[in-house]
């Protein structure tokens, strides 16, 4: 693993020749690809993205209004990198890791340019506790100590691009991220902070098969189309179909230990919502405020496009860093389409040959490189960690045949297809159960067997079959009306309706229903199956579908969703169901 | 200031100027014609060889002999308190015969992005008095909620009714209105102006008019001037501002025109690939800032070409705004005003502004249930057309009737009918009461017992007995 650091620094200054929006051209600059440069008198941050003869083409992360040809450009010789260390959690950054909180202090309520601020607070002191001692051997990625960052323990590691050695000295105490906490025998000094270039994946020992589900508390996800820890998923959907709500639900309730949430080219208010809401929500597992495990990246639609392009890399690098500590991390990117559009905009300014719909020809490659950084892995420090990546996709006109959706589907393993027809009738989450899929079902089969119930997988298959059957029957109903169906099929339609309305529909805004654990999911599905069995039996015994459908206990079932301590109520309903449906049997 | 006479090429709204001293990107440019008149433009691309200038007015009269002056600063808007009550051109010049605006400040019209950390979540319920909005797609202060309409539909009346009736309950303060017209007809503009004058709203309004026969490229700056003014009123003077932008479709056409003139690779249907980002730089200029008194609520109006919601203009808008109100030709044909189709409409911030704290505890559930029932009834209409009413089950018939009732009583209301939120919600319950109680699966028992007309006023009734079966 070769990673550039300040030792191989190139420097030098050039002169601006042309400014065209976020893309500028400099001449006379000694530069390599992806070097970070300072553009103009105000030293705006930029990155080299193309070299053509003596012309160096640079994307600038800030507004370029007023910049003139002839102004200087200075090469820092460093790659675009993030600062990794204590202080990442509870933070909110822009696309190039400038802390937004600090920016408010420095330049007020609006984002101005030319202000830089380090990703990690230089003044703050953290209590460092060593976990190795003088004389121990440490290698790349070895954990040398711990910091209680929030309720999360931050594990301080030897950077993966250092070769390590024998610890000569290591100190406990209160330090800033720049203070030396350990020295190796070859004189290498270690601090709690490391820098890592965002476009380079952090190394692991090996990638493993993801065979544990990332539980989300969302019935249609955990129940029908699960994602594994370390897996990849895409949520495509037209505007207003529920991409952001689903992503936020995952950020809130998924059983990851760390959450990285990237607002990439989306709304400012949505980030504010997360900032306002998360501190008041508690993790159902740890009971701690959700904000304590979260890192936010907000590069909204009206912030510079080049920084939007970078935001996705900034986010995934932070996610990998926590993975390297042995944590399960989940990363949401809302929306990868805006990222792709940023690439398109930059590419068109470079006058590159456009590919499909104006996107650059390397779109597919960039998308797959990004999703490849997900995975469950044996990490350098010896433990296991994972990064799950869930990307929203915003196809123009809701048409999934467009390039970003298609190229994404070629890579990800889980597809949650949002459907405007469902969202318009307020069926939420508006995930289409016929088009969606999860390729992790087989690999997760055993887990569900062992941790939920041996009959869970069968129940799931049954539910999918009923839904499939319903869609076929609906075609007939559209032609002849439901009363013309045979009685047995009328019951099938009713059972399918129950699966949809009771199980699949889940209100993100209801205090109880917003999160549903696996046991409750199982109990609910079992209850529907029970009704189904009783109903078919009663119908065979001569009861009329209308009578069966009218039993009060069946109509009580949806209420279970809104009850926190649901077990007694459910037991009562099931008892009642037995009596009521069986009464129909004997009654006719 | 140095004047160049080095225009090399003129193409559409673009000038290509040669051999200048270094010129800043996005600088304001004055072009001096042979008769001494001055046109304004902006630098789109600058290098030591050639500078590309986009002119905001017609290029008629500009020639290679015209003078070009680079001002060294980006476009600024002079703003001041006295702007209220004034009518300005789409380029910001007074056209009401009144005096020039005495500026208290000169602000950059691009407007910087609000730091997301400085934003305050919108949450104050705005009562518009229109049931389909208040009940089903609730608007909150600081939201951007566009009206997606079609040619010939009454979107202007709806916008005016909102501007007239909008209020925050418990607050006496009225909204200031910033109105920006882009490419609308004189007649439409008069309709707005007459209503503003009649209701006295003009005193609290700033009007920008770029009409159909004004230069199309000027439309690129009109909304930015309007929003710069709105930001001044809101964040400097602490006012609550309602911004009406109409018609965004004309704005997008102007954007396409410039893209074509620059020979850019076009995106979908010829619109520039950066249209999303460009529209976001307008729509995102709404909201509330922590510790600052005012707010900006945006009502962009756009007409969907061919009534097609997947057309890039409504599509990209919908991806940025916080919901949309969709005006339906079908309801309009049925003679229903306001013809807002609630099914494709949405207010994403609704949940922040409703409930016990803001409106009433049952609001969310009533709205969800009405949606589900209306959607179901509406679907059945298609079926009825094929198989007839008789083939429907008892249950289906009830939903079908619900859909009709809903349109007739809930959606339909007068242009001056100002319903309170209580009236709207009670009306919702009255309609839901036509369905059997057990069909109200989206509402929990407790709320049914409290608000359902059947149980209203029966406080303390034992739940088991009350849930009539
Ligand atoms: N699970 C859910 N429960 C309840 N309401 C939901 C749910 N999912 C979505 N909604 C509703 O749908 C609205 C739109 O959802 P959301 O903002 O997530 O859409 P989106 O797909 O992200 O759209 P865009 O592409 O424009 O950002 C929400 O404001 C909310 O009202
Ligand atoms: Mg979204």
């Amino acid at each position: 693993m070769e990673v550039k650091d300040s030792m191989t620094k190139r420097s030098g200054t050039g002169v601006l020749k042309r400014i065209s929006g976020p893309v500028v051209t400099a001449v006379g600059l000694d530069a390599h690809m992806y070097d970070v440069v300072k553009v103009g008198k105000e030293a705006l941050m930029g990155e080299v993205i193309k070299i053509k003869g003596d012309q160096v083409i640079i994307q600038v992360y800030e507004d370029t209004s007023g910049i003139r040809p002839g102004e200087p450009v200075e090469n820092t010789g460093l790659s675009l990198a993030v600062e990794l260390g204590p202080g990442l959690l509870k933070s909110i950054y822009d696309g190039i890791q400038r802390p937004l909180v600090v920016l408010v202090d420095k330049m007020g309520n609006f984002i101005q340019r030319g202000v830089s601020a380090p990703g990690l607070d230089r003044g703050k002191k953290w209590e460092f506790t060593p976990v190795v001692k003088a004389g121990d051997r440490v290698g790349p990625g070895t954990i040398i100590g711990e910091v209680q960052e929030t309720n999360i323990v931050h594990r301080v590691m030897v950077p993966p691009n250092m070769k390590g050695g024998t610890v000569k000295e290591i100190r406990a105490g209160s330090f800033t991220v720049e203070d030396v906490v350990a020295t190796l025998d070859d004189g290498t000094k270690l601090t709690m902070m490391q820098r890592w270039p965002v476009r380079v994946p952090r190394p692991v020992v090996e990638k493993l098969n993801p065979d544990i589900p990332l539980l989300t508390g969302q019935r249609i996800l955990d129940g029908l189309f699960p994602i594994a820890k370390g897996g990849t998923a895409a949520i495509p959907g037209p505007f207003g179909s529920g991409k952001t709500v689903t992503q936020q639900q995952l950020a809130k309730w998924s059983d990851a230990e760390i959450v990285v949430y990237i607002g990439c080219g989306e709304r400012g208010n949505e980030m504010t919502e997360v900032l306002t809401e998360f501190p008041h929500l508690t993790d159902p597992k740890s009971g701690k405020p959700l904000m304590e495990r979260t890192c936010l990246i907000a590069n909204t639609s009206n912030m510079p496009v080049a920084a939007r392009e970078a935001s996705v890399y900034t986010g995934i690098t932070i996610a990998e860093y926590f993975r390297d500590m042995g944590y399960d991390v989940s990363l949401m990117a809302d929306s990868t389409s805006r990222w792709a559009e940023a690439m398109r905009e930059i590419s068109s300014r470079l006058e590159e040959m456009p590919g499909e719909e104006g996107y650059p020809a390397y779109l597919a490659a960039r998308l797959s490189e990004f999703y490849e950084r997900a995975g469950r892995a044996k990490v350098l420090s010896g433990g296991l960690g994972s990064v799950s990546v869930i990307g929203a996709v915003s196809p123009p006109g809701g048409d999934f045949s467009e390039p970003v959706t298609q190229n994404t589907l070629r890579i990800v393993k889980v597809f949650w297809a949002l459907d405007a027809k469902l969202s318009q009738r307020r069926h939420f989450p508006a995930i289409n159960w016929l088009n969606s899929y999860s390729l992790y079902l087989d690999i997760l089969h055993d887990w569900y067997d062992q941790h939920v119930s041996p009959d869970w997988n069968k129940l799931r298959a049954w539910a999918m079959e009923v839904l499939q059957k319903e869609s076929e029957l609906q075609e007939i109903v559209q032609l002849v009306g439901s009363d013309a169906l045979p009685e047995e099929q009328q019951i099938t339609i009713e059972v399918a309706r129950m699966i949809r309305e009771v199980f699949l529909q889940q209100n993100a805004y209801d205090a109880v229903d917003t999160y549903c654990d696996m046991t409750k999911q199982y109990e609910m599905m079992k209850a529907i199956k029970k009704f189904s069995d009783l109903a078919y039996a009663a119908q065979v015994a001569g009861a009329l579908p209308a009578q069966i459908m009218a039993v009060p206990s069946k109509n009580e079932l949806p209420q279970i969703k809104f009850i926190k301590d649901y077990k007694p109520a459910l037991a009562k309903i099931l008892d009642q169901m037995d009596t009521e449906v069986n009464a129909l049997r004997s009654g006719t | 200031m140095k004047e160049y006479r080095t225009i090399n090429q003129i193409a559409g709204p673009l000038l290509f100027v040669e051999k200048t001293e270094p010129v800043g990107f996005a600088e304001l440019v004055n072009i001096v014609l042979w008769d001494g008149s001055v046109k304004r433009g902006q630098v789109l691309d600058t290098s030591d060889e050639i500078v590309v200038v986009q002119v905001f007015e017609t290029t008629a009269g500009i020639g290679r002999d015209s003078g070009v002056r680079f001002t060294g600063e980006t476009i600024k808007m002079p703003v001041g308190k006295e702007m209220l009550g004034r009518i300005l051109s789409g380029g910001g010049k007074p056209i009401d015969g009144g005096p020039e605006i005495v500026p208290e400040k000169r602000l950059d019209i691009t407007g910087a992005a609000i730091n997301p950390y400085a934003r305050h979540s919108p949450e104050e319920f705005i009562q518009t008095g229109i049931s389909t909005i208040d009940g089903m797609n609730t608007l909150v202060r600081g939201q951007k909620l566009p009206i997606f309409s079609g040619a010939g539909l009454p979107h202007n009346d709806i916008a005016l009714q909102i501007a007239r009736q909008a209020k925050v309950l418990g607050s006496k303060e009225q909204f200031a209105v910033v109105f920006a017209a882009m490419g609308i007809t004189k007649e439409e503009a008069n309709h707005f102006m007459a209503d503003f004058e009649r209701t006295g709203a003009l005193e609290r309004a700033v009007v920008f008019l770029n009409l159909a026969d004004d230069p199309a490229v000027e439309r690129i700056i009109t909304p930015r001037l309007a929003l710069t003014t709105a930001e001044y009123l809101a964040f400097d003077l602490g006012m609550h501002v309602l911004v009406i932008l109409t018609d965004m479709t004309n704005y997008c056409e102007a954007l396409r025109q410039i893209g074509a003139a620059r020979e850019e690779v076009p995106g979908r249907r010829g619109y520039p690939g950066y249209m999303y980002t460009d529209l976001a730089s307008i729509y995102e200029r709404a909201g509330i800032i922590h510790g600052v008194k005012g707010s900006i609520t945006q009502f962009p109006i756009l007409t969907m070409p061919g009534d097609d919601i997947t057309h890039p203009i409504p599509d990209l808008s919908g991806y940025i705004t916080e919901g949309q109100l969709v005006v339906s030709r079908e309801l309009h044909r049925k003679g229903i005003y306001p013809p807002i189709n609630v099914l494709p409409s949405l207010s994403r911030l609704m949940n922040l502004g409703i409930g016990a704290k803001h409106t009433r505890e049952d609001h969310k559930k009533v709205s969800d249930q009405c949606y589900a029932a209306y959607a179901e009834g509406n679907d059945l209409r298609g079926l009825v057309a094929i198989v007839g009413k008789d083939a429907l089950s008892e249950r289906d018939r009830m939903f079908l009737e619900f859909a009709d009732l809903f349109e007739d009583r809930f959606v339909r209301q007068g242009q001056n009918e100002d319903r309170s939120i209580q009236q709207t919600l009670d009306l919702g319950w009255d309609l839901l009461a036509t369905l059997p109680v057990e069909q109200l699966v989206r509402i929990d028992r407790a709320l049914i017992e409290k608000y359902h007309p059947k149980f209203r006023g029966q406080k303390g009734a034992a739940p088991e007995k009350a849930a009539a079966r």
Side-chain angles (χ1 to χ4, degrees):
Chain A
M1 173 92 291
E2 217 203 319
V3 170
K4 207 163 35 177
D5 61 39
S6 47
M7 306 304 288
T8 61
K9 184 164 173 166
R10 274 170 309 284
S11 54
T13 358
V15 170
L16 275 180
K17 185 180 164 60
R18 177 179 174 191
I19 299 100
S20 169
V23 173
V24 303
T25 307
V27 287
L29 189 69
D30 173 22
H32 287 188
M33 285 294 279
Y34 304 120
D35 280 353
V36 169
V37 296
K38 302 279 178 188
V39 175
K41 289 187 199 132
E42 290 178 66
L44 307 182
M45 191 167 159
E47 187 184 14
V48 175
I49 52 171
K50 187 172 173 178
I51 298 172
K52 195 170 126 193
D54 68 338
Q55 298 190 358
V56 174
I57 298 157
I58 297 159
Q59 63 175 352
V60 184
Y61 294 121
E62 297 174 76
D63 178 33
T64 52
S65 296
I67 309 291
R68 298 164 187 229
E71 288 189 37
V73 181
E74 192 194 328
N75 192 355
T76 64
L78 299 168
S79 305
L80 182 64
V82 285
E83 295 185 348
L84 302 165
L88 290 168
L89 298 175
K90 287 166 67 177
S91 285
I92 176 164
Y93 293 114
D94 75 355
I96 46 172
Q97 212 204 5
R98 293 189 302 176
L100 292 178
V101 184
V102 178
L103 295 192
V104 170
D105 290 341
K106 284 198 167 181
M107 56 195 186
N109 295 326
F110 293 85
I111 297 196
Q112 313 292 349
R113 65 180 189 196
V115 178
S116 59
L120 298 180
D121 189 335
R122 292 294 187 270
K124 186 162 165 111
K125 292 205 165 180
W126 300 92
E127 209 54 49
F128 175 80
T129 315
V131 297
V132 295
K133 52 187 189 315
D136 286 352
R137 278 204 59 80
V138 296
T142 306
I143 296 167
I144 58 165
E146 292 180 344
V147 169
Q148 191 74 45
E149 185 176 351
T150 57
N151 67 69
I152 302 282
V153 174
H154 193 111
R155 300 181 183 133
V156 177
M157 298 169 287
V158 178
N161 53 340
M162 270 187 195
K163 71 178 196 306
T166 306
V167 179
K168 194 166 134 210
E169 194 193 346
I170 186 161
R171 312 185 284 164
S174 196
F175 301 106
T176 70
V177 291
E178 285 178 316
D179 291 339
V180 173
V181 293
T183 318
L184 305 185
D185 54 359
D186 65 354
T188 308
K189 293 184 176 2
L190 297 175
T191 65
M192 287 189 279
M193 176 175 81
Q194 41 179 288
R195 284 172 53 87
W196 190 263
V198 296
R199 296 184 197 275
V200 181
R202 287 171 63 89
V204 292
V205 177
E206 65 174 324
K207 289 254 170 118
L208 306 170
N209 262 340
D211 54 7
I212 302 168
L214 178 75
L215 293 178
T216 65
Q218 311 303 302
R219 288 186 291 269
I220 186 162
L221 307 188
D222 298 348
L224 299 191
F225 309 111
I227 174 177
K229 288 201 169 89
T232 51
I235 323 179
F239 65 80
S241 54
K243 296 179 289 296
T244 304
V245 174
T246 308
Q247 297 251 38
Q248 290 187 354
Q249 288 295 91
L250 292 179
K252 285 175 193 165
W253 310 126
S254 69
D255 64 346
E257 291 157 299
I258 305 288
V259 170
V260 178
Y261 191 100
I262 313 171
C264 173
E266 292 284 313
R267 304 172 183 84
N269 275 336
E270 285 172 352
M271 299 314 293
T272 313
E273 206 178 310
V274 175
L275 282 173
T276 335
E277 212 181 349
F278 275 36
H280 304 291
L281 293 171
T282 50
D283 178 356
K285 224 171 54 183
S286 72
K288 297 283 166 48
L290 283 178
M291 201 62 206
E292 304 214 340
R293 65 169 196 184
T294 309
C295 175
L296 298 173
I297 319 278
N299 209 96
T300 57
S301 53
N302 55 343
M303 285 158 75
V305 264
R308 189 200 295 169
E309 193 270 339
S311 65
V312 162
Y313 295 102
T314 299
I316 192 118
T317 309
I318 292 173
E320 285 176 339
Y321 173 68
F322 280 101
R323 171 205 63 197
D324 291 348
M325 295 178 205
Y327 285 122
D328 289 318
V329 185
S330 65
L331 174 135
M332 329 300 157
D334 185 10
S335 157
T336 59
S337 294
R338 306 302 165 217
W339 172 47
E341 284 166 14
M343 282 189 241
R344 175 168 71 184
E345 187 166 341
I346 305 286
S347 159
S348 91
R349 303 251 184 198
L350 293 179
E351 286 156 21
E352 290 175 338
M353 188 64 142
E356 225 182 327
E357 294 196 14
Y359 287 103
Y362 46 79
L363 172 72
R366 291 280 166 87
L367 282 168
S368 55
E369 280 160 21
F370 167 65
Y371 282 105
E372 264 311 295
R373 291 175 76 168
R376 189 155 172 268
K378 183 157 184 243
V379 295
L380 297 179
S381 63
L384 295 177
S386 69
V387 175
S388 315
V389 174
I390 298 123
V393 184
S394 318
D399 176 3
F400 290 177
S401 68
E402 57 90 41
V404 182
T405 316
Q406 285 306 315
N407 284 310
T408 303
L409 289 186
R410 240 169 266 150
I411 314 155
V412 299
K413 298 283 194 301
V414 181
F415 174 46
W416 295 320
L418 289 170
D419 186 335
K421 282 214 196 76
L422 293 174
S423 61
Q424 284 189 11
R425 71 194 52 182
R426 298 330 190 231
H427 172 111
F428 288 122
I431 296 173
N432 184 308
W433 49 90
L434 298 173
N435 299 345
S436 301
Y437 59 78
S438 163
L439 299 182
Y440 294 115
L441 279 175
D442 285 342
I443 206 171
L444 297 177
H445 190 281
D446 291 348
W447 189 94
Y448 281 98
D449 241 12
Q450 287 159 22
H451 294 86
V452 183
S453 158
D455 62 346
W456 168 258
N457 288 299
K458 262 180 268 152
L459 262 180
R460 179 196 178 275
W462 167 79
M464 284 306 290
E465 198 185 307
V466 174
L467 291 169
Q468 179 60 45
K469 191 91 212 270
E470 182 203 28
S471 90
E472 288 159 22
L473 292 177
Q474 282 299 352
E475 281 171 28
I476 305 174
V477 170
Q478 287 308 311
L479 295 174
V480 297
S482 55
D483 274 7
L485 287 183
E487 289 188 351
E488 193 199 325
Q489 296 182 349
Q490 289 182 32
I491 291 175
T492 306
I493 290 214
E494 189 63 18
V495 171
R497 186 208 305 283
M498 285 172 75
I499 297 178
R500 285 189 283 114
E501 289 183 356
V502 179
F503 191 84
L504 298 185
Q505 278 183 16
Q506 186 170 2
N507 188 347
Y509 300 101
D510 183 275
V512 177
D513 200 30
T514 183
Y515 173 81
C516 184
D517 65 32
M518 221 34 238
T519 315
K520 186 169 178 182
Q521 295 190 24
Y522 169 65
E523 295 292 340
M524 284 172 67
M525 191 61 101
K526 219 168 61 173
I528 301 171
K529 176 75 163 55
K530 175 179 171 126
F531 173 79
S532 168
D533 292 345
L534 286 170
Y536 284 119
Q539 184 261 328
V540 171
L544 294 173
Q547 289 176 307
I548 300 173
M549 290 171 202
V551 300
S553 53
K554 164 189 162 264
N555 296 320
E556 289 290 335
L557 204 50
Q559 299 289 333
I560 292 302
K561 298 203 259 192
F562 311 114
I563 306 174
K564 196 167 170 58
D565 188 15
Y566 63 94
K567 284 190 175 148
L570 182 61
K572 204 172 131 215
I573 291 172
L574 291 177
D575 269 355
Q576 212 182 326
M577 201 181 271
D578 267 327
T579 330
E580 287 168 352
V581 184
N582 286 330
L584 295 175
R585 247 166 122 158
S586 44
T588 42
Chain B
M1 197 181 302
K2 206 161 170 183
E3 189 173 304
Y4 296 92
R5 292 187 186 270
T6 50
I7 297 179
N8 168 304
Q9 190 189 334
I10 305 175
L14 304 184
L15 311 180
F16 296 79
V17 187
E18 281 183 335
K19 297 192 246 4
T20 61
E21 270 159 28
V23 169
F25 176 71
E27 244 177 54
L28 173 67
V29 182
N30 289 324
I31 301 114
V32 187
L33 272 57
W34 58 276
D35 61 355
S37 62
V38 176
K39 292 182 189 272
R40 290 186 303 170
Q42 184 180 19
V43 175
L44 280 189
D45 196 325
T46 171
S47 69
D48 42 16
E49 285 147 22
I50 204 137
V51 177
V52 184
V53 177
Q54 169 189 336
V55 186
F56 290 123
E57 294 160 60
T58 150
T59 44
I62 302 183
R64 294 191 55 186
D65 58 344
S66 304
V68 181
R69 290 183 192 155
F70 297 96
T71 61
E73 60 165 31
T74 51
I75 305 185
K76 300 273 192 331
M77 166 90 193
V79 290
K81 263 195 218 67
E82 308 163 10
M83 294 180 81
L84 287 173
R86 299 298 305 271
I87 304 173
L88 312 173
S89 73
K93 303 255 155 58
I95 50 169
D96 52 3
E100 285 289 317
I101 310 274
V102 181
E104 275 153 57
K105 267 191 171 177
R106 297 177 69 249
L107 300 175
D108 197 317
I109 69 161
T110 332
I114 302 177
N115 185 324
Y117 186 75
R119 279 182 184 268
H120 184 86
S121 250
E123 58 186 10
E124 274 169 310
F125 166 63
I126 296 180
Q127 181 177 297
T128 65
I130 298 175
S131 292
T132 38
I133 301 176
D134 296 352
M136 313 288 281
N137 295 289
T138 317
L139 171 70
V140 296
R141 195 136 83 178
Q143 186 170 9
K144 38 189 181 289
L145 188 65
I147 301 181
F148 286 7
S149 187
L153 296 177
H155 41 266
N156 291 340
D157 293 321
I158 298 172
L160 279 170
Q161 186 169 5
I162 293 168
R164 273 197 310 270
Q165 298 181 168
K167 55 180 150 298
V168 169
L169 297 180
S171 148
K172 287 215 182 57
E173 202 176 334
Q174 282 183 304
F175 283 97
V177 176
V178 171
F179 177 81
M182 290 156 278
I184 66 171
T185 61
K186 181 81 187 141
E187 204 181 314
E188 279 176 292
N190 286 344
H191 184 56
F192 275 99
M193 298 309 300
D195 202 83
F196 287 156
E197 269 166 43
R198 183 173 62 81
T199 57
L202 194 55
E203 283 165 38
R204 312 171 264 116
V206 187
V207 176
F208 292 83
L209 292 180
N210 166 288
L211 299 183
D213 55 353
D214 289 331
V217 270
E218 188 183 78
R219 282 162 212 164
I220 300 293
I221 54 171
T222 309
R224 299 193 159 84
L225 297 175
L227 287 161
T228 306
T229 309
E231 280 167 0
Y232 171 74
L233 297 177
F235 304 135
D236 279 28
L237 303 184
M239 297 180 169
H240 294 291
V241 186
L242 206 64
V243 181
I244 302 176
L245 305 169
T246 183
D247 176 333
M248 287 304 290
T249 303
N250 297 331
Y251 170 84
C252 294
E253 298 302 343
L255 207 60
R256 175 161 71 173
Q257 198 182 327
I258 289 162
R262 293 183 68 185
E263 293 172 9
E264 290 166 347
V265 181
R268 277 174 79 222
R269 304 221 196 169
Y271 294 94
Y274 50 79
M275 194 155 89
Y276 172 84
T277 306
D278 188 279
L279 284 173
S281 73
I282 293 177
Y283 296 140
E284 274 290 314
R285 292 172 80 174
I288 306 180
I289 296 176
H290 272 303
V292 176
K293 191 166 156 272
S295 65
I296 296 181
T297 309
Q298 260 193 45
F299 262 109
I301 299 174
L302 60 88
T303 46
M304 301 182 276
D307 290 351
D308 177 8
I309 199 166
T310 68
H311 184 281
I313 298 172
D315 190 52
L316 295 179
S317 298
Y319 273 122
I320 305 163
T321 55
E322 287 147 347
Q324 67 279 340
L325 298 171
V326 180
V327 182
S328 137
R329 198 168 296 279
E330 199 186 320
L331 288 175
H332 181 61
R333 274 201 207 109
K334 284 187 190 169
I336 293 172
Y337 174 90
I340 296 175
N341 183 357
V342 296
L343 297 177
S345 299
L346 169 71
S347 163
R348 295 168 198 241
L349 302 186
M350 175 164 180
N351 292 301
L352 302 173
I354 63 173
K357 235 175 87 194
H358 307 277
T359 56
R360 216 165 78 179
E361 55 177 336
D362 57 329
H363 193 151
K364 173 77 183 144
K365 301 283 164 84
V366 172
S367 144
D368 281 353
Q369 189 67 63
C370 282
Y371 259 112
Y374 178 58
E376 189 158 356
N378 196 43
D379 282 348
L380 288 164
R381 286 174 175 164
L383 180 58
V384 171
I386 302 169
V387 299
K389 239 183 191 170
D390 296 341
L392 293 189
S393 66
E394 177 69 24
R395 177 180 186 283
D396 288 353
R397 259 198 298 276
M398 285 188 297
F399 278 89
L400 187 67
E401 270 157 36
F402 177 87
D404 291 339
L405 271 178
F406 183 79
E407 287 175 5
D408 195 49
R409 293 186 47 203
F410 193 89
V411 180
R412 186 198 297 278
Q413 70 184 84
Q415 277 198 30
N416 289 307
E417 186 180 352
D418 190 357
R419 291 183 190 154
S420 74
I421 183 64
Q422 273 70 26
Q423 285 171 322
T424 291
L425 294 177
D426 288 347
L427 184 55
W429 277 107
D430 288 346
L431 299 180
L432 290 175
T434 64
L435 300 172
V437 177
E438 66 271 11
Q439 293 297 344
L440 307 182
V441 292
R442 310 251 182 155
I443 311 181
D444 32 294
R445 207 25 57 79
L447 289 176
I448 294 186
E449 278 155 24
K450 191 158 167 198
Y451 294 101
H452 195 290
K454 217 188 246 165
F455 311 108
R456 242 182 249 161
Q458 293 183 20
K459 254 188 262 131
E464 282 306 310
K465 253 185 277 156
R469 300 204 162 120

